[in-house]
Amino acid sequence: MSSFPLVDIVWLSQKRIKILMLLTLGPKTAEEIKEELELDLRALHLPLKELKEERLVTQENDTFVLSQLGRIITINAKPAYYLANLFENNTAYWTSRNLSNIPRTFARRLGELGDCELFEQDLGHMFQLPQKFINSTSKTENIMSVFSFFYPEQLYLYNAVAKKGGKVSLILTEGVCETLQENFPETFCEMSKFNNTEIYCLQESMSPPAFTVTDNTLLISFFNKNDRYDHQDILSNNETALKWGRELFSYYKDRASIRSTELR
C-alpha cells in the first residue's frame, strides 16, 4: 500500500474516482472501463494499479470489481462526487441560487440531478417554456407540477394532457391559486373537473422551487438570492433526477392543505 492517505487516493485523481464510481454499477472488464470513460488502456493502467494496491479494487482475470472496503468508501463518496460535478458544470448559476427553500434532505441529494441543461431565455422568449420540455410534455401520460409561479402556457399544456386521459397532479401556492381562479377561471375550472386531475394548495409560508416532472423530463426553476425568478431553468432527463423530482413532489403533496374539491 502507498504512503498517501486513503482520501487522497480516492479524491486526488479524476481517473481513479471515475473508475470507482463506474464499478458501483457492477464488475467491468478493462475494455468496458475504457469505452465507458473514453480513455485508452495505457491511461487506465496506472490508476487501476493504484486502486488494486490500496485494495479498493480486485481483479479476477480481466474483470475488475470493487472490494468490500472499496464499495463502502465509494458508496459514501458518491453523493459528494455527483454534487461537485453538478455545481462545476454551471458554477455561476448554482452560486447565484437560493437553495435554502429546498428541504435539507433533498438539498443533500441535488447531485442526483446529474447532467443538466441550463436554459436562459432571451428577452423575446422570456415567458415561453423550453421547446424541449414542450415536446416531452405533449407525449407524456403523467405530470406532477409545483407552481410557485407559472407560465400561462403551462396551464393549457397540462389541460391538454388531462383531456387525453393523462394523470395531472398540481400543487399551487396560495398566490398562484388565486391568480388562476381570477385570471384563468374557465381553464382552471375545466381542469379541476377531470377525474384524472388532482389540484392541491400549499400554505402561504411555503415557497418551494417551481418544477414539473413528466414521464421522462424534470424541469425545475430555483429562485435567485433575492428570491426572484430570473428566467433560468434546469432540465434533466436522468432517471435519478426524475426520482428526485417525484419524491420532492410527494414531500409537498403531504403538506398541501386544500384539495381541488374544496377549491371548486
Side-chain angles (χ1 to χ4, degrees), residues 240-259:
T240 53
L242 300 180
K243 181 175 183 290
W244 183 91
R246 289 174 188 134
E247 290 177 4
L248 184 59
F249 181 88
S250 294
Y251 172 91
Y252 288 115
K253 182 178 176 181
D254 289 344
R255 287 153 180 78
S257 57
I258 302 174
R259 293 175 179 268

mmCIF file of all heavy atoms in Angstrom, residues 240-259:
data_model
loop_
_atom_site.group_PDB
_atom_site.id
_atom_site.type_symbol
_atom_site.label_atom_id
_atom_site.label_comp_id
_atom_site.label_asym_id
_atom_site.label_seq_id
_atom_site.Cartn_x
_atom_site.Cartn_y
_atom_site.Cartn_z
ATOM 1 N N THR A 240 -32.277 9.312 -12.156
ATOM 2 C CA THR A 240 -32.102 9.742 -10.765
ATOM 3 C C THR A 240 -32.758 11.099 -10.539
ATOM 4 O O THR A 240 -33.308 11.364 -9.470
ATOM 5 C CB THR A 240 -30.613 9.815 -10.393
ATOM 6 O OG1 THR A 240 -29.917 10.640 -11.353
ATOM 7 C CG2 THR A 240 -29.985 8.432 -10.362
ATOM 8 N N ALA A 241 -32.737 11.961 -11.563
ATOM 9 C CA ALA A 241 -33.372 13.272 -11.450
ATOM 10 C C ALA A 241 -34.890 13.139 -11.388
ATOM 11 O O ALA A 241 -35.561 13.830 -10.615
ATOM 12 C CB ALA A 241 -32.966 14.152 -12.635
ATOM 13 N N LEU A 242 -35.441 12.248 -12.194
ATOM 14 C CA LEU A 242 -36.899 12.029 -12.186
ATOM 15 C C LEU A 242 -37.345 11.485 -10.837
ATOM 16 O O LEU A 242 -38.379 11.908 -10.290
ATOM 17 C CB LEU A 242 -37.289 11.055 -13.306
ATOM 18 C CG LEU A 242 -36.941 11.482 -14.737
ATOM 19 C CD1 LEU A 242 -37.384 10.407 -15.723
ATOM 20 C CD2 LEU A 242 -37.580 12.813 -15.090
ATOM 21 N N LYS A 243 -36.569 10.568 -10.283
ATOM 22 C CA LYS A 243 -36.892 10.004 -8.968
ATOM 23 C C LYS A 243 -36.834 11.096 -7.899
ATOM 24 O O LYS A 243 -37.715 11.196 -7.045
ATOM 25 C CB LYS A 243 -35.906 8.877 -8.643
ATOM 26 C CG LYS A 243 -36.142 8.177 -7.312
ATOM 27 C CD LYS A 243 -35.177 6.999 -7.168
ATOM 28 C CE LYS A 243 -35.422 6.225 -5.868
ATOM 29 N NZ LYS A 243 -35.021 6.972 -4.680
ATOM 30 N N TRP A 244 -35.791 11.932 -7.961
ATOM 31 C CA TRP A 244 -35.634 13.047 -7.024
ATOM 32 C C TRP A 244 -36.843 13.978 -7.119
ATOM 33 O O TRP A 244 -37.420 14.385 -6.107
ATOM 34 C CB TRP A 244 -34.354 13.791 -7.343
ATOM 35 C CG TRP A 244 -34.000 14.923 -6.437
ATOM 36 C CD1 TRP A 244 -33.234 14.874 -5.310
ATOM 37 C CD2 TRP A 244 -34.366 16.312 -6.596
ATOM 38 N NE1 TRP A 244 -33.104 16.126 -4.757
ATOM 39 C CE2 TRP A 244 -33.791 17.024 -5.519
ATOM 40 C CE3 TRP A 244 -35.119 17.007 -7.543
ATOM 41 C CZ2 TRP A 244 -33.955 18.405 -5.373
ATOM 42 C CZ3 TRP A 244 -35.290 18.376 -7.397
ATOM 43 C CH2 TRP A 244 -34.720 19.063 -6.317
ATOM 44 N N GLY A 245 -37.256 14.306 -8.340
ATOM 45 C CA GLY A 245 -38.383 15.212 -8.542
ATOM 46 C C GLY A 245 -39.702 14.634 -8.045
ATOM 47 O O GLY A 245 -40.509 15.338 -7.428
ATOM 48 N N ARG A 246 -39.928 13.345 -8.300
ATOM 49 C CA ARG A 246 -41.177 12.712 -7.849
ATOM 50 C C ARG A 246 -41.241 12.664 -6.320
ATOM 51 O O ARG A 246 -42.305 12.878 -5.723
ATOM 52 C CB ARG A 246 -41.289 11.311 -8.434
ATOM 53 C CG ARG A 246 -41.559 11.309 -9.944
ATOM 54 C CD ARG A 246 -41.524 9.927 -10.534
ATOM 55 N NE ARG A 246 -41.605 10.003 -11.999
ATOM 56 C CZ ARG A 246 -40.835 9.327 -12.832
ATOM 57 N NH1 ARG A 246 -39.899 8.507 -12.355
ATOM 58 N NH2 ARG A 246 -40.961 9.465 -14.130
ATOM 59 N N GLU A 247 -40.118 12.385 -5.702
ATOM 60 C CA GLU A 247 -40.100 12.328 -4.235
ATOM 61 C C GLU A 247 -40.266 13.718 -3.623
ATOM 62 O O GLU A 247 -40.920 13.872 -2.583
ATOM 63 C CB GLU A 247 -38.801 11.666 -3.762
ATOM 64 C CG GLU A 247 -38.763 10.176 -4.091
ATOM 65 C CD GLU A 247 -37.451 9.517 -3.690
ATOM 66 O OE1 GLU A 247 -36.588 10.195 -3.075
ATOM 67 O OE2 GLU A 247 -37.270 8.323 -4.004
ATOM 68 N N LEU A 248 -39.690 14.737 -4.278
ATOM 69 C CA LEU A 248 -39.882 16.098 -3.794
ATOM 70 C C LEU A 248 -41.335 16.520 -3.945
ATOM 71 O O LEU A 248 -41.909 17.186 -3.071
ATOM 72 C CB LEU A 248 -38.967 17.068 -4.555
ATOM 73 C CG LEU A 248 -38.996 18.530 -4.098
ATOM 74 C CD1 LEU A 248 -38.592 18.658 -2.624
ATOM 75 C CD2 LEU A 248 -38.082 19.397 -4.976
ATOM 76 N N PHE A 249 -41.973 16.111 -5.044
ATOM 77 C CA PHE A 249 -43.396 16.406 -5.235
ATOM 78 C C PHE A 249 -44.214 15.766 -4.110
ATOM 79 O O PHE A 249 -45.118 16.396 -3.539
ATOM 80 C CB PHE A 249 -43.871 15.891 -6.591
ATOM 81 C CG PHE A 249 -45.311 16.179 -6.872
ATOM 82 C CD1 PHE A 249 -45.695 17.368 -7.462
ATOM 83 C CD2 PHE A 249 -46.302 15.261 -6.524
ATOM 84 C CE1 PHE A 249 -47.034 17.657 -7.703
ATOM 85 C CE2 PHE A 249 -47.636 15.524 -6.764
ATOM 86 C CZ PHE A 249 -47.998 16.725 -7.358
ATOM 87 N N SER A 250 -43.922 14.516 -3.782
ATOM 88 C CA SER A 250 -44.641 13.822 -2.703
ATOM 89 C C SER A 250 -44.459 14.537 -1.370
ATOM 90 O O SER A 250 -45.398 14.604 -0.554
ATOM 91 C CB SER A 250 -44.148 12.375 -2.590
ATOM 92 O OG SER A 250 -44.485 11.644 -3.745
ATOM 93 N N TYR A 251 -43.263 15.076 -1.159
ATOM 94 C CA TYR A 251 -42.992 15.824 0.074
ATOM 95 C C TYR A 251 -43.966 17.001 0.202
ATOM 96 O O TYR A 251 -44.575 17.213 1.258
ATOM 97 C CB TYR A 251 -41.551 16.320 0.062
ATOM 98 C CG TYR A 251 -41.203 17.271 1.185
ATOM 99 C CD1 TYR A 251 -40.704 16.800 2.398
ATOM 100 C CD2 TYR A 251 -41.365 18.656 1.028
ATOM 101 C CE1 TYR A 251 -40.392 17.673 3.437
ATOM 102 C CE2 TYR A 251 -41.056 19.535 2.060
ATOM 103 C CZ TYR A 251 -40.566 19.033 3.260
ATOM 104 O OH TYR A 251 -40.265 19.904 4.278
ATOM 105 N N TYR A 252 -44.127 17.766 -0.877
ATOM 106 C CA TYR A 252 -45.024 18.926 -0.826
ATOM 107 C C TYR A 252 -46.492 18.507 -0.827
ATOM 108 O O TYR A 252 -47.329 19.149 -0.181
ATOM 109 C CB TYR A 252 -44.727 19.869 -1.993
ATOM 110 C CG TYR A 252 -43.435 20.618 -1.832
ATOM 111 C CD1 TYR A 252 -42.374 20.424 -2.703
ATOM 112 C CD2 TYR A 252 -43.254 21.515 -0.782
ATOM 113 C CE1 TYR A 252 -41.170 21.099 -2.540
ATOM 114 C CE2 TYR A 252 -42.061 22.189 -0.608
ATOM 115 C CZ TYR A 252 -41.022 21.977 -1.494
ATOM 116 O OH TYR A 252 -39.833 22.642 -1.316
ATOM 117 N N LYS A 253 -46.804 17.431 -1.511
ATOM 118 C CA LYS A 253 -48.190 16.950 -1.538
ATOM 119 C C LYS A 253 -48.650 16.566 -0.132
ATOM 120 O O LYS A 253 -49.795 16.836 0.259
ATOM 121 C CB LYS A 253 -48.313 15.758 -2.484
ATOM 122 C CG LYS A 253 -49.732 15.229 -2.619
ATOM 123 C CD LYS A 253 -49.780 14.086 -3.621
ATOM 124 C CE LYS A 253 -51.178 13.479 -3.689
ATOM 125 N NZ LYS A 253 -51.242 12.352 -4.651
ATOM 126 N N ASP A 254 -47.746 15.939 0.633
ATOM 127 C CA ASP A 254 -48.087 15.549 2.010
ATOM 128 C C ASP A 254 -48.365 16.762 2.894
ATOM 129 O O ASP A 254 -49.003 16.630 3.946
ATOM 130 C CB ASP A 254 -46.945 14.731 2.623
ATOM 131 C CG ASP A 254 -46.832 13.342 2.016
ATOM 132 O OD1 ASP A 254 -47.798 12.901 1.360
ATOM 133 O OD2 ASP A 254 -45.765 12.714 2.158
ATOM 134 N N ARG A 255 -47.877 17.933 2.468
ATOM 135 C CA ARG A 255 -48.035 19.147 3.279
ATOM 136 C C ARG A 255 -49.079 20.096 2.696
ATOM 137 O O ARG A 255 -49.259 21.202 3.192
ATOM 138 C CB ARG A 255 -46.673 19.848 3.409
ATOM 139 C CG ARG A 255 -45.749 19.074 4.341
ATOM 140 C CD ARG A 255 -44.278 19.305 4.031
ATOM 141 N NE ARG A 255 -43.439 18.531 4.964
ATOM 142 C CZ ARG A 255 -43.218 17.213 4.840
ATOM 143 N NH1 ARG A 255 -43.757 16.544 3.823
ATOM 144 N NH2 ARG A 255 -42.462 16.572 5.721
ATOM 145 N N ALA A 256 -49.716 19.687 1.606
ATOM 146 C CA ALA A 256 -50.749 20.527 0.985
ATOM 147 C C ALA A 256 -51.982 20.578 1.881
ATOM 148 O O ALA A 256 -52.351 19.593 2.515
ATOM 149 C CB ALA A 256 -51.113 19.985 -0.389
ATOM 150 N N SER A 257 -52.609 21.743 1.940
ATOM 151 C CA SER A 257 -53.703 21.939 2.904
ATOM 152 C C SER A 257 -55.093 21.964 2.280
ATOM 153 O O SER A 257 -56.077 21.752 2.972
ATOM 154 C CB SER A 257 -53.481 23.249 3.669
ATOM 155 O OG SER A 257 -53.381 24.335 2.766
ATOM 156 N N ILE A 258 -55.197 22.240 0.973
ATOM 157 C CA ILE A 258 -56.521 22.376 0.351
ATOM 158 C C ILE A 258 -56.584 21.499 -0.891
ATOM 159 O O ILE A 258 -55.679 21.546 -1.732
ATOM 160 C CB ILE A 258 -56.803 23.840 -0.044
ATOM 161 C CG1 ILE A 258 -56.707 24.747 1.189
ATOM 162 C CG2 ILE A 258 -58.185 23.964 -0.676
ATOM 163 C CD1 ILE A 258 -56.826 26.223 0.865
ATOM 164 N N ARG A 259 -57.624 20.730 -1.022
ATOM 165 C CA ARG A 259 -57.775 19.877 -2.198
ATOM 166 C C ARG A 259 -58.649 20.564 -3.252
ATOM 167 O O ARG A 259 -59.372 21.496 -2.959
ATOM 168 C CB ARG A 259 -58.424 18.528 -1.814
ATOM 169 C CG ARG A 259 -57.524 17.675 -0.938
ATOM 170 C CD ARG A 259 -58.249 16.399 -0.487
ATOM 171 N NE ARG A 259 -57.366 15.593 0.318
ATOM 172 C CZ ARG A 259 -56.585 14.630 -0.183
ATOM 173 N NH1 ARG A 259 -56.581 14.391 -1.475
ATOM 174 N NH2 ARG A 259 -55.815 13.914 0.614
#
